[in-house]
Amino acid sequence: MSNQFKETQEQRDKLNAVLEEQKNVPGSLMKVMQQAQEIYGYLPLEVQARIADFLNIPMEEIYGIATFYAQFHTEPSGKYKVGICLGTACYVKGSGDILEKLKTLLKVDAGKTTPDLKYTLDATRCIGCCGLAPVMTVNEEVYGKITVDDVERIIAKYND
Amino acid sequence: MKEVTLKINGVSVTVPAGTKILDAAKKAGFNIPTLCYLKDICNDGSCRICVVEVKGQKKLITACSATVKDEMEVFTSTPKVIAARKTTLELMLSNHNKNCLSCARSTNCELQKLSLEYGCDTKAFQGAVTKSRVDENDYLVRDNSKCILCRRCVAVCNKIQTVGVIGANNRGFASEIGCAFEKKLDNTSCIACGQCINVCPTGALHEKDDTAKVIAAIEDPEKYVIFGTAPSVRVALAEEFGYPIGTDAEGKMVSAIKRVGADKVFDVNMAADMTIMEEGTELLARLKDKTAALPMITSCSPGWIRFIEFYYPELLPHLSSCKSPQQMFGAIMKTYYAEKFNIDPKKIYVVSVMPCVAKKTEILRDDEAAAGVPDVDVVLTTRELARLIKAKSIDFAALPNEEFDNPIGQGTTAGLIFGATGGVMEAALRTVADVLTGENLEKIDYKAVRGTAGIKEAKVKIAGNEIKVCVAHTMANARKILEDIKAGKCDYHFIEIMTCPGGCVNGGGQPIVPSYISNNVDVKALRAKAIYDKDKKSGLRKSHENPVVKALYEEYFDHPNSHKAHHILHTTYHKREKY
């Protein structure tokens, strides 16, 4: 795991309550997974292992479901979701270079989260504002017509 | 039972209600091709190769999963059916690594056979190929570029072994068989049984090939290469050379290994006899000791050992402390044999030929190095031995029958029956009965523990003592017994557990029998029959009567469970973390 798993007692108690409640309910796995994700925000190995042991289901079966459905995440998201559009317009305007710059700056691959859970870097498809190409987003903020040199300045704003 | 009459290609056939179309067609004399189907294990209907046409139905249906109905009219090879199967195969081939010429499963591959039969164009569909990985470890290689996602390996891992460390991850084109969190297989609670290999229709799964190591050792003039062969290798090896299932080829096997270049070829049956002496003595001691953990459970099968270490570590005290026959064999070679013939144990290279891939992990365990060097240097599966024989251009069919080398080649057929489920139990009872009665008993066939039932139990009266025994194979069955022990509901004294269905004869390292044969023939029963037939004719059927065993105790170990025997022939176990 790239990120160290941490949990609060409250999260632990909540998951235990869900497991107890669904213990003898046939076909309850999806429900348990959804509720566990609500509690933790994602489904890390430690949580999947606990579900597996409690419901007596191999962890691989749970992981298979978690990777089949887009609604489940096996890694936590960062506080800031940094998106760089790789749609056609942005791409021809050089968003590929911007992605590379973001990777070196944040020291993380596309689709991954930094160990301090601050940034998640996403290479997105077209986000529908090609007039501003190339486009980068940080959570709800949109930055258009940017260059490789702008990247450091934009990220610095979110350095809290 | 209610019966159903239907027509298959115009032929009327009557079968019990609930029968699948596949089996009804078989009864009517028609074979329907399958890929993902494994009798009693896997019939998800996911591969679509067994599709057939049913009158009145627009869509083709899968014969392996659809049940028969009265007055149904099924057509198994109409042009529409043939075209659908061919397209399915060609789509599989479009995403398949087709380096078939040197693939481990070439000529024995189910996809290859069907592609040939249906005249498939290997380039019918071209385009993107799934980015797949190769997962290699000390015992097994998974090459997903050859995987057709039939899920037979997943079914066997889940249902037969209740291990479930592999499954389908991701979705659509990115789907891949793998482990949770994309871990490497040897980083999971895999027990290394290798049953996934045996059921794989293609070359996506195979054992880690160690034949090169053996060839290098043979070529090394410094090395004294000793081969030892497990009981069940001799009744399966010949299948790799075109002989029928259940052929005993002990003599040819020995002569082939001598031609491969071994310095000595010995029989691991001898070490199995030693196991009986040590384990039988341990059992008698535990029966007398009120504080000892009972039931005692056998420890010969390394997949089973991994299973209990991962899943039931609290029950480890029930395991016999005896090393497996393979490890006893290696230990005896590097201690007794080395001393007797004045050979440096570091120069002895023990090649163990086994029906098993878990044995490849067993040699790497702690506490398996009696002479300060590993007891066994390398393990070859039955399949690898065949590969080695072929690589050395040895004409197997023309080979004479030769005998194991002296002086410690000889094993009894009590050791031999270790190869089938129930065999260790029967061999132990033969010896324990003689020891307890102080007589040489003639009634030594314990038929209650033979056969392929999943769990067998028997009560045996010996010299006024009633001994309750149980025999189980596959981890699904073992789990039931272990749960009973945990619940305090188990009053057996002695339990034999084997990892693979049918025991070692059907081990994960045995010749692969494609599903179009194994779905119709009980492979494990045929191989076991060859073993029991040999035992019936044998003049030496009790481990304690083996002259080699007697000599080993007289010259070296003193008596079973002696201090020296404990040091060399026994081992320890430890809990393993599942995740």
Side-chain angles (χ1 to χ4, degrees), chain B residues 350-366:
Chain B
V350 174
V351 181
S352 171
V353 187
M354 293 282 142
C356 185
V357 289
K359 289 282 175 192
K360 287 178 187 277
T361 67
E362 188 178 51
I363 63 172
L364 303 170
R365 291 180 64 90
D366 294 337

Side-chain angles (χ1 to χ4, degrees), chain B residues 471-531:
Chain B
V471 172
H473 54 123
T474 77
M475 294 304 96
N477 290 319
R479 203 180 266 277
K480 289 178 197 157
I481 292 167
L482 297 175
E483 287 297 333
D484 279 354
I485 295 176
K486 268 170 78 175
K489 290 193 294 189
C490 184
D491 61 349
Y492 302 123
H493 298 107
F494 188 31
I495 300 173
E496 175 205 298
I497 292 183
M498 290 292 156
T499 310
C500 293
C504 308
V505 284
N506 194 31
Q510 290 286 57
I512 292 171
V513 181
S515 68
Y516 50 87
I517 296 172
S518 67
N519 280 337
N520 303 307
V521 176
D522 192 350
V523 176
K524 53 189 185 299
L526 288 176
R527 290 178 184 157
K529 184 177 181 299
I531 280 183

Side-chain angles (χ1 to χ4, degrees), chain B residues 144-208:
Chain B
N144 275 344
S145 69
K146 292 177 182 171
C147 174
I148 58 166
L149 295 170
C150 69
R151 291 163 171 76
R152 276 158 49 165
C153 56
V154 177
V156 90
C157 190
N158 268 305
K159 294 186 196 166
I160 303 296
Q161 302 299 34
T162 61
V163 166
V165 290
I166 48 172
N169 295 337
N170 305 318
R171 182 175 192 161
F173 204 59
S175 296
E176 197 176 9
I177 306 299
C179 306
F181 290 90
E182 319 298 335
K183 285 189 179 205
K184 288 171 75 69
L185 189 63
D186 61 349
N187 228 343
T188 69
S189 48
C190 168
I191 61 167
C193 71
Q195 285 298 315
C196 53
I197 300 176
N198 285 18
V199 299
C200 182
T202 71
L205 286 163
H206 57 85
E207 67 287 326
K208 161 89 182 320

Side-chain angles (χ1 to χ4, degrees), chain B residues 234-251:
Chain B
R234 70 206 70 192
V235 295
L237 177 68
E239 291 166 35
E240 293 278 353
F241 299 92
Y243 290 77
I245 297 166
T247 302
D248 168 27
E250 181 181 299

